[in-house]
Amino acid sequence: MPPASIPQISPISLISLLYAMSMYAFYQQGFIGRATFITVAAVVLCFVVLFYCAFRFRLNARFGDQSLMLPQIIAALLIMLTVAYLERATQMALVPFVLIAFSFGIFRLSTASLILLLVGCLTAFLGIIVLHARAEGYGIEFRADLMQWFVLALTLPGMILVGKQIQNLHQLLKATRYQLEHYEEKSVRDELTGLYNRRQLQTELDRAKLQIDTLSIPFSICLIDIDRFKEINDNRGHLTGDTILKEFSRVARDSIRDTDILGRYGGDEFMLILPDTDLKGAVMHAERLRVYAHFLDFQKILPQKHISLSIGVAQYRQGEKINDLISRADAALYQAKQLGRNRVEWADAS
C-alpha cells in the first residue's frame, strides 16, 4: 500500500497527542495554567487534523517524500519548543519528547536533514534557556537547564549515529538476502536455458512421488530429445546449438501449464514433469510440444530450417523407484528414435 494511504502512521499525531497528554498532567499538578493547556491542546488538534487531511485527500502525493516526515517532525518540535519557552516548567518534558520525534526520522530522513534538525533544535533550546536566564537570573536553575541541554546535545547525535548504523546494517542484510536468493536461484537453474537443472528435477520428482504415494494423485514425465543435435553442434558450431537450446526452452516454457515442471536433464535432453496427469494426458502434452518445436524457424542458422523432437513418456506406478520411472521413459524415448525420430512414444502404464 502506498504511503498516501496510511495516515494512521502519522508521527505528528502520535508525538503531539502524547505531548498534549503530558501537558494535561502538568496542568493537573498546577505547573501550567488552564489557558496554556487549552491553547496547546487546540494547536495540537489543528496540526493533527491538518496532516490527516493531507493524507486523506492525497495532497502528500505532490511531494517527493509522501510521508511528509520532515514537516511533521518540524511541526512537533515547534510545538514543544514554543511551549517550553512560554512555560518554563515544561522543559523537563522537552528532552524525552524531542528524542521520540527524532526517532521517527532516523530511518526516513537523510543524514543532512537530521543534522539540520539537530542543529536547529539545539540552537532553539539553548536560546530558550538563555532567555529564561536573562529574565530570572543565572542561578542554579540556569545551570540545571544547561545540563539538560548538554545531555540532549550528547544524546541526539549518538541516537542518530546508532540509527544510521542500524539503517546500514538493514541495507547490508537486504543486499545479503538478495544475493542469497540469487545464488539459490542459480543453484537450481541451468545457466544457459534458465530452466531447472538436473538436481532440481530430481527434487521435484521426489516431491511428486511423495504426493502420489500419500494422496494417490497421478503424475507423468516426458523425456525430450532434440533430434540430431550432435550433428548440429559438430557441423554448425556450439553457438548455433546454444541458440537452438535457448529458443526451444523459451517456447517449451511458454507452452506448459503453471503447475508443470520443465528442466534441462543434460545436453540436448529435457524433462517435463506433469503433476496430476495420467499417461494419456501426458502423451497429448508431449505431442503439442513436439508440434510447437517443429514450427520454430531457424532458417538463418540451419539449412533444414526446423528442428524435431523425440519424446518418451511414462506414468509413475505407485511404489516404484524414480530411477525405474526414468528408465521406462528413456526406453520409450529410445523407441521413438529407432522408429524414425520426430515422434512421441510411451511406456505402458500398467
Side-chain angles (χ1 to χ4, degrees):
M1 187 176 292
S5 303
I6 50 175
Q8 68 271 20
I9 313 180
S10 169
I12 184 63
S13 300
L14 178 61
I15 301 170
S16 299
L17 288 174
L18 288 175
Y19 186 72
M21 291 174 61
S22 72
M23 290 302 101
Y24 179 73
F26 274 87
Y27 164 64
Q28 286 292 324
Q29 297 300 316
F31 288 104
I32 62 175
R34 178 185 179 88
T36 300
F37 168 69
I38 292 176
T39 302
V40 172
V43 171
V44 167
L45 182 61
C46 288
F47 273 114
V48 170
V49 171
L50 175 65
F51 282 105
Y52 174 81
C53 290
F55 286 112
R56 178 66 178 81
F57 298 105
R58 298 184 180 273
L59 301 178
N60 57 317
R62 302 178 182 180
F63 300 91
D65 179 14
Q66 295 187 21
S67 69
L68 300 180
M69 186 63 63
L70 184 58
Q72 288 191 79
I73 294 176
I74 290 175
L77 292 175
L78 284 176
I79 292 174
M80 293 184 286
L81 288 168
T82 301
V83 174
Y85 170 70
L86 296 175
E87 295 286 351
R88 189 181 183 286
T90 64
Q91 281 185 199
M92 67 178 71
L94 185 62
V95 171
F97 279 98
V98 166
L99 294 176
I100 294 174
F102 271 85
S103 68
F104 278 94
I106 285 176
F107 301 110
R108 300 295 298 271
L109 299 180
S110 67
T111 303
S113 296
L114 286 171
I115 291 175
L116 288 175
L117 271 180
L118 169 67
V119 173
C121 180
L122 290 176
T123 301
F125 188 22
L126 184 59
I128 291 171
I129 292 173
V130 172
L131 288 174
H132 285 162
R134 291 181 63 182
E136 302 171 6
Y138 295 90
I140 186 67
E141 290 184 345
F142 171 67
R143 294 199 298 272
D145 290 344
L146 281 181
M147 289 304 300
Q148 190 179 36
W149 180 89
F150 182 70
V151 169
L152 183 62
L154 290 178
T155 306
L156 272 181
M159 190 174 80
I160 292 173
L161 181 61
V162 171
K164 287 303 175 181
Q165 289 294 326
I166 294 174
Q167 190 176 33
N168 291 337
L169 289 174
H170 175 73
Q171 293 297 327
L172 179 61
L173 181 61
K174 185 177 180 180
T176 303
R177 187 187 306 119
Y178 172 79
Q179 289 178 344
L180 287 174
E181 291 173 353
H182 178 66
Y183 291 143
E184 182 180 358
E185 182 70 12
K186 287 186 68 175
S187 70
V188 301
R189 294 284 179 181
D190 173 65
E191 187 173 354
L192 177 65
T193 63
L195 302 178
Y196 282 137
N197 57 26
R198 185 166 184 157
R199 181 173 62 179
Q200 185 62 23
L201 284 172
Q202 186 64 49
T203 300
E204 297 295 338
L205 285 170
D206 292 338
R207 184 179 294 123
K209 180 182 186 303
L210 179 63
Q211 187 176 43
I212 190 174
D213 288 343
T214 55
L215 302 177
S216 298
I217 299 175
F219 84 92
S220 302
I221 66 169
C222 303
L223 279 181
I224 306 158
D225 189 80
I226 299 177
D227 293 329
R228 306 186 190 281
F229 186 78
K230 186 177 184 304
E231 295 179 16
I232 294 174
N233 258 344
D234 292 343
N235 297 329
R236 310 300 296 182
H238 289 285
L239 289 179
T240 297
D242 289 350
T243 299
I244 292 172
L245 290 174
K246 288 190 287 187
E247 186 63 15
F248 166 71
S249 298
R250 180 188 64 80
V251 170
R253 185 171 49 237
D254 292 342
S255 68
I256 62 176
R257 303 169 298 182
D258 291 339
T259 55
D260 297 338
I261 299 158
L262 179 65
R264 187 180 180 188
Y265 195 62
D268 62 321
E269 197 167 73
F270 298 81
M271 178 183 288
L272 177 61
I273 302 173
L274 299 165
D276 197 15
T277 305
D278 59 13
L279 182 63
K280 182 179 179 180
V283 170
M284 292 176 60
H285 281 288
E287 279 289 357
R288 183 172 67 248
L289 184 58
R290 184 187 65 82
V291 173
Y292 284 161
H294 180 72
F295 282 100
L296 283 173
D297 186 3
F298 292 110
Q299 61 178 339
K300 293 182 179 180
I301 58 176
L302 290 180
Q304 66 269 32
K305 300 181 182 179
H306 302 287
I307 62 170
S308 64
L309 304 179
S310 295
I311 304 177
V313 183
Q315 179 181 341
Y316 174 75
R317 295 171 178 168
Q318 189 104 17
E320 78 172 325
K321 296 179 180 179
I322 290 297
N323 286 340
D324 294 337
L325 170 66
I326 295 175
S327 294
R328 292 193 294 112
D330 194 47
L333 172 61
Y334 180 77
Q335 185 179 12
K337 294 282 189 182
Q338 292 296 106
L339 293 175
R341 298 183 174 86
N342 193 25
R343 61 188 296 127
V344 176
E345 293 293 328
W346 56 91
D348 190 355
S350 59

